[in-house]
Amino acid sequence: LAVVAKQGWAMNRNENLLGVSAVGVRLLAPSGRHIGAIVLSGVDEHFADDRLQAMVERLLRVANMLTRTSMSVRAMARFLNV
């Protein structure tokens, strides 16, 4: 978990269901506290190593954009008091 916390993303390849993989990034409140995750999941063949880094970079950009601009993220942060 320390590695996941440091890099900001996690990968699940065939861990829960054979042939299904997922990659996810943390979603932060404007305060910097964790409030959720954004996850892509699908058929394992779409998660090849040569595509994984691009997926992670895009997910990290989207999560950062949502942290900075989403009223829904701000509302959730207020609801969770974080």
Side-chain angles (χ1 to χ4, degrees), residues 66-81:
L66 289 171
T67 294
R68 290 182 290 113
T69 64
S70 173
M71 294 305 292
S72 296
V73 169
R74 293 176 190 280
M76 182 59 73
R78 280 192 303 272
F79 176 76
L80 295 173
N81 197 30

Side-chain angles (χ1 to χ4, degrees), residues 3 6 8 21 26 28 42 44 50 53 55-56 59 61-62 65 68 76-78 81:
V3 172
K6 183 178 179 179
S21 293
R26 60 187 172 198
L28 303 175
D44 187 54
D50 61 331
Q53 191 58 40
M55 283 186 205
V56 169
L59 282 169
R61 278 197 310 268
V62 167
M65 179 194 67
R68 290 182 290 113
M76 182 59 73
R78 280 192 303 272
N81 197 30

Side-chain angles (χ1 to χ4, degrees), residues 32-48:
R33 302 265 317 260
H34 303 126
I35 61 168
I38 300 173
V39 179
L40 292 176
S41 62
V43 180
D44 187 54
E45 66 190 50
H46 296 294
F47 291 81

